[in-house]
Amino acid sequence: MKQPEFIFELTSEAAEKNFLVLRQYGLDLGKALSAQRDTPLEYGSEFREPSVLEPLLSMHPLWPKMKAILQNGSLFPVTELDEETRLADLEAALARGNHKGASEKLDLLMKLVTKDVIHGYAMALPLNKLPRIPGVVLAPVNIQAQNTINEFGEIIAKDRLTHDQSFDFSPDSSVNSRVIAEELLPVRYGHCIRRIINWVVAARRKYPGVKIFACKVDYKSAFRRIHLAWKTALQTCTHLPEAEIAILALRLTFGGSPCPAEWSAISELANDLTTAIMQHPDWDPSELFSPLISQVPPRSDLPDDVPFGVGKELVVDVPVNSKGMSEIYVDDKLSCALDLPGSDHVDRCAGAALLSIHTIARPLSSHEPIPRETMAAIEKLLAEAGPEELKIMLGWHLNFRTLIISLPFNKAKAWSTEISEILSEGKTKAKRLERNIGRFVNIGMILPYVHHFLARLRTLLKHAKKRKSAIPLPPPVQEDLKLMQKVIVRAQNGIDMNNLAYRMPNIVYRNDSCPFGLGGYDVRASGWRWIIPPELRFRATNNLLEHLANIVSIKLGLLDGSIKKGDCVLSMSDSIVSCSWLKKSNFDEEPDIQEDGTVKMDPLQAEVRAEVAREHALTMMENEICEYPQWFPGVQNVVADALSRDDDRDDETLTNLLLSHFPDQCVADLCAAEVAREGAVTRGTHEDQDRAWKRFCQYTKSIGIHDDTYLDNFDRYQRIRIMCAFAQAMREGRFSGPSYETLVESTIRNAVSYVAATFRDNDRRNPTLDEDGELARLLSRQFRAYRNKDPPVKQQKAIPTIVIKELTRLQQTELQKAVAQLAVGAFFFAMRSCEYLKVPQAEKRRTDILRLRNIRFFRNGVELPHSHPQLETAEVVSITFEKQKKDEKMDTVNQLASGDAILCPKYAWASIVKRIRSYPGTNDDTPVSTVMVNGRLTHVTSKILIDALEGAIEAVGNDRIGIQKGEIGTHSIRSGAAMAMYLGEVPVYTIMMLGRWSSDAFLRYIRKQVEQFSHNVSRKMILHQFHRHVPQIDRTISRDDPRQRNHPQNEQTR
């Protein structure tokens, strides 16, 4: 490393020198930094060269982003600030100065800034010359008091310099206000500790009685390891007015909202590298290790008399590798491993994180041009890196032996005391309230329902920031703060990790309500009901009553002892589960939609709902039980319906009635099995089967065997003969309308198949099969005879691309525009009509129509939201087909831009999304067929599209493309897409994948009558005009050998 041209000292002389250097490059920071090759100012200088890392990391999805940061620095995705606003903000920032927390502690401020400067994280410039540098944006700094840990494990105070890049001198002019959040990488830090908990519970369940050890390694000055791109660095300036020095940040700041996402591109990748190292069978931690491994303390076991907690069954399959796993939370690397006898797993846990950091970081040199520290925080290694069964992680005590997580005593006491002070004063200032909300969010990492009670606090904070004096606490906020105190006490006492994991429910309640009553039942045992007195009816919405019913079931279960400590409960109604209602408890009022469509707000119901939600949260917490959050649809929930409605029967009569008539709903397994079977086929299939069975019953009645519909008194041969006769009756249209004279073979075959299915559903033998389990030969021949006499199937002709293009020229109305956009979009994804159009009897189909949530756009690997102002600049449009034929689910297909200004998948779908999003009342669930016509929302139907296609064909010329009116249908676009890909010599497997064909069935869409189908075929057929047959070996076989074909003793060939 060479010495940079700039000087890293916090003095006026250094500032002037730095400005002179910058002036040598025309005050162009980009040119100046580009000239600092092989110095600490070069982008990525904290890490090894990308060419060194790429062979190891190139397969990781985050590598392209990490590589871009190492080569070009971190470029914040922000909207440009116009020059007039920038200059006005700069003048205002210079006049205002820094926040009081910094300006009132000048000595501390100078100390903190000096540390940043001497390490090359920032550089000094003369404040009076700052306006001369193009593109500079200035923001104030502050000093935040925090805690950290020293090498002895002691908690000590720490002051952190923060850069307030959210401070707006003009409306929405700050860096953070201008960040395009949708272009940032998703940040997954928030779920880190929940992922650890689920892994630990799964590991203990898989390996009961085996110790689990954890290690913790911190990055030193994590954000400061990433260089800012010069364009971003210009917008991250601050100043020291008293010293007349400006500070230009060169690394990620503590205050830029994109910084966590930018850092995660490296930290998440390095974390996955840690896990890969831990689990690699060939790694020997005693031979390959970081130079800092000697700083890691030895393992620390809990006393032998500490009991092992039990891992309970999870509803998700968490992969557990006994060698361990690693997680990351910003700059904290957290690793866990199982101490199997005779293994080196604990040593792997202790060494993998340090080795991964050593792998990606540039080694510390003895000749660093400016002071530089190791990337791993050495002082924390001595205190936290050692393998332990009891570890403090992210401010929580995690006991990996007992599976208990708890809030440290000092935190719990301090937090609870401050809440008491706020409540006694009855008011609070914004800063104090914001600090406490931050603490509650920390608790919410462990107890998610806490988040549901923060809405009122956040609303109060919003108002508090607008006033200088303290703001009074409304009664609902006071109740929320009291609840938080109880939550803190519970967190301090410890929480079973099993109650925080994704558990399998062991107790299930089904509940229902109506304006006349509530009811519910435990699918294992008993039920309950409460009839609402007449004077109280219709005073609450049914949603609120369902909420109460879900909670009452749990309350009763606790009272009768059927719910015990550690249980996982699923209490659900037809529409929601008990814990989901906590999310609604933070609404200010309960909306009540009137018959005329107006909305009436009822604050009384909101108050009741909030009170019940608080009580429910306390009940679950104090009894140490957890709730299963997933809802399942109710099918024929007769039992719960009856419990909430049948007020004219006494308990004994109703109980006997339900057990007699609905035993399957009173037994959990039978109930679940019935639900599963119902979902196996579509509603249309059910109706077709019912119709076929009805006709078979009519037929058996017509031949005098209506009392033996299942043909129980007939043998196999007779049953087959009867089915043949039924098929003939169907063929003649005996049970159809007058317009049907002769039914085609496929209709008859399906009807016979549905009848056979009904036999099987009722535990009878299939009447169409012979003794070897195959379709009876008589029926098979009969079906073949029908097929031979049927007219040929009239296939819908494939639409050529020119017709689609013609559609785009006919966009005078909103409906025509929608039709053209859908046609283009569907063409590039070879869509079925029901996937993008409103088709008749759509509810009977297995395939779901696409909705806006299924359409996603990506640029440079980052997803663009539908609200992005430049959605058309996406490089890829990705469509997820949630449910299709053949039971295929969540099938995602991507298409890149075609390069054509009109026929392009990304343009088409971007236009569809932006058009629909512009309509009032639309959301993520809005179907893509939606269109606004005459001021109301309607849908593009299959008939509308066919009419438009026929009009476009006529405009192009029917004879020109060989398609006449009536020869196309909604499948013509799918057929045209397959034909276009085939003619474009797209590989067969690509056609199948893009069109989501599971076999070569797509070949029926390829029309050999198309002129271009045989392009170059005749020419290729005459390339090889000669070929020679190789003579076969002449093996003489005796005429008496029965293996000869047509031998009288050879049954298979005679």
Short mmCIF file of all heavy atoms in Angstrom, two decimals, residues 968-985:
data_model
loop_
_atom_site.label_atom_id
_atom_site.label_comp_id
_atom_site.label_asym_id
_atom_site.label_seq_id
_atom_site.Cartn_x
_atom_site.Cartn_y
_atom_site.Cartn_z
N ILE A 968 -60.23 -19.30 -34.75
CA ILE A 968 -59.35 -19.03 -33.61
C ILE A 968 -60.15 -19.06 -32.32
O ILE A 968 -61.38 -19.06 -32.32
CB ILE A 968 -58.66 -17.65 -33.73
CG1 ILE A 968 -59.71 -16.53 -33.68
CG2 ILE A 968 -57.80 -17.56 -34.97
CD1 ILE A 968 -59.12 -15.16 -33.45
N GLY A 969 -59.44 -19.12 -31.23
CA GLY A 969 -60.04 -19.09 -29.90
C GLY A 969 -59.03 -18.55 -28.91
O GLY A 969 -57.94 -18.07 -29.29
N THR A 970 -59.35 -18.64 -27.64
CA THR A 970 -58.43 -18.10 -26.63
C THR A 970 -57.13 -18.89 -26.56
O THR A 970 -56.11 -18.38 -26.10
CB THR A 970 -59.10 -18.10 -25.25
OG1 THR A 970 -59.62 -19.42 -24.99
CG2 THR A 970 -60.22 -17.10 -25.20
N HIS A 971 -57.14 -20.15 -27.03
CA HIS A 971 -55.90 -20.93 -27.04
C HIS A 971 -54.99 -20.54 -28.19
O HIS A 971 -53.84 -20.99 -28.26
CB HIS A 971 -56.22 -22.43 -27.15
CG HIS A 971 -56.53 -23.06 -25.83
ND1 HIS A 971 -55.59 -23.23 -24.85
CD2 HIS A 971 -57.69 -23.54 -25.35
CE1 HIS A 971 -56.15 -23.80 -23.80
NE2 HIS A 971 -57.42 -24.00 -24.07
N SER A 972 -55.49 -19.70 -29.10
CA SER A 972 -54.69 -19.35 -30.27
C SER A 972 -53.44 -18.56 -29.89
O SER A 972 -52.42 -18.66 -30.57
CB SER A 972 -55.54 -18.54 -31.26
OG SER A 972 -56.58 -19.35 -31.79
N ILE A 973 -53.52 -17.78 -28.81
CA ILE A 973 -52.32 -17.04 -28.39
C ILE A 973 -51.29 -18.01 -27.83
O ILE A 973 -50.09 -17.90 -28.14
CB ILE A 973 -52.71 -15.96 -27.36
CG1 ILE A 973 -53.41 -14.81 -28.06
CG2 ILE A 973 -51.48 -15.47 -26.59
CD1 ILE A 973 -53.75 -13.64 -27.18
N ARG A 974 -51.72 -18.95 -27.01
CA ARG A 974 -50.79 -19.95 -26.48
C ARG A 974 -50.20 -20.79 -27.62
O ARG A 974 -49.00 -21.08 -27.64
CB ARG A 974 -51.52 -20.83 -25.48
CG ARG A 974 -50.66 -21.89 -24.77
CD ARG A 974 -51.42 -22.42 -23.56
NE ARG A 974 -50.87 -23.64 -23.00
CZ ARG A 974 -49.87 -23.68 -22.11
NH1 ARG A 974 -49.31 -22.56 -21.72
NH2 ARG A 974 -49.45 -24.83 -21.63
N SER A 975 -51.06 -21.15 -28.56
CA SER A 975 -50.60 -21.92 -29.72
C SER A 975 -49.63 -21.09 -30.55
O SER A 975 -48.60 -21.58 -31.02
CB SER A 975 -51.81 -22.32 -30.57
OG SER A 975 -51.42 -22.97 -31.74
N GLY A 976 -49.94 -19.79 -30.71
CA GLY A 976 -49.07 -18.91 -31.48
C GLY A 976 -47.71 -18.74 -30.83
O GLY A 976 -46.68 -18.65 -31.51
N ALA A 977 -47.70 -18.70 -29.50
CA ALA A 977 -46.43 -18.57 -28.79
C ALA A 977 -45.55 -19.80 -29.02
O ALA A 977 -44.35 -19.69 -29.27
CB ALA A 977 -46.69 -18.38 -27.30
N ALA A 978 -46.17 -20.99 -28.93
CA ALA A 978 -45.42 -22.22 -29.17
C ALA A 978 -44.89 -22.26 -30.60
O ALA A 978 -43.73 -22.64 -30.85
CB ALA A 978 -46.30 -23.43 -28.91
N MET A 979 -45.73 -21.84 -31.57
CA MET A 979 -45.32 -21.85 -32.97
C MET A 979 -44.18 -20.86 -33.21
O MET A 979 -43.21 -21.16 -33.92
CB MET A 979 -46.51 -21.49 -33.86
CG MET A 979 -46.30 -21.79 -35.32
SD MET A 979 -46.31 -23.57 -35.64
CE MET A 979 -45.36 -23.63 -37.15
N ALA A 980 -44.28 -19.67 -32.57
CA ALA A 980 -43.25 -18.65 -32.75
C ALA A 980 -41.91 -19.13 -32.20
O ALA A 980 -40.86 -18.91 -32.81
CB ALA A 980 -43.68 -17.36 -32.05
N MET A 981 -41.94 -19.80 -31.07
CA MET A 981 -40.69 -20.31 -30.50
C MET A 981 -40.11 -21.42 -31.37
O MET A 981 -38.89 -21.50 -31.57
CB MET A 981 -40.95 -20.80 -29.06
CG MET A 981 -41.14 -19.68 -28.06
SD MET A 981 -41.23 -20.26 -26.33
CE MET A 981 -42.92 -20.82 -26.26
N TYR A 982 -41.00 -22.28 -31.89
CA TYR A 982 -40.53 -23.37 -32.75
C TYR A 982 -39.87 -22.82 -34.01
O TYR A 982 -38.77 -23.23 -34.39
CB TYR A 982 -41.69 -24.29 -33.11
CG TYR A 982 -41.31 -25.37 -34.09
CD1 TYR A 982 -40.68 -26.54 -33.65
CD2 TYR A 982 -41.57 -25.23 -35.45
CE1 TYR A 982 -40.32 -27.53 -34.55
CE2 TYR A 982 -41.21 -26.21 -36.35
CZ TYR A 982 -40.58 -27.36 -35.90
OH TYR A 982 -40.22 -28.33 -36.79
N LEU A 983 -40.53 -21.86 -34.66
CA LEU A 983 -39.99 -21.28 -35.88
C LEU A 983 -38.71 -20.49 -35.58
O LEU A 983 -37.85 -20.35 -36.46
CB LEU A 983 -41.02 -20.37 -36.55
CG LEU A 983 -42.28 -21.07 -37.07
CD1 LEU A 983 -43.24 -20.05 -37.66
CD2 LEU A 983 -41.93 -22.14 -38.10
N GLY A 984 -38.59 -19.98 -34.37
CA GLY A 984 -37.38 -19.28 -33.97
C GLY A 984 -36.28 -20.21 -33.53
O GLY A 984 -35.26 -19.75 -33.00
N GLU A 985 -36.50 -21.54 -33.70
CA GLU A 985 -35.52 -22.57 -33.36
C GLU A 985 -35.15 -22.55 -31.88
O GLU A 985 -34.02 -22.81 -31.49
CB GLU A 985 -34.27 -22.44 -34.24
CG GLU A 985 -34.56 -22.62 -35.72
CD GLU A 985 -33.29 -22.60 -36.58
OE1 GLU A 985 -32.23 -22.28 -36.03
OE2 GLU A 985 -33.40 -22.89 -37.79
#
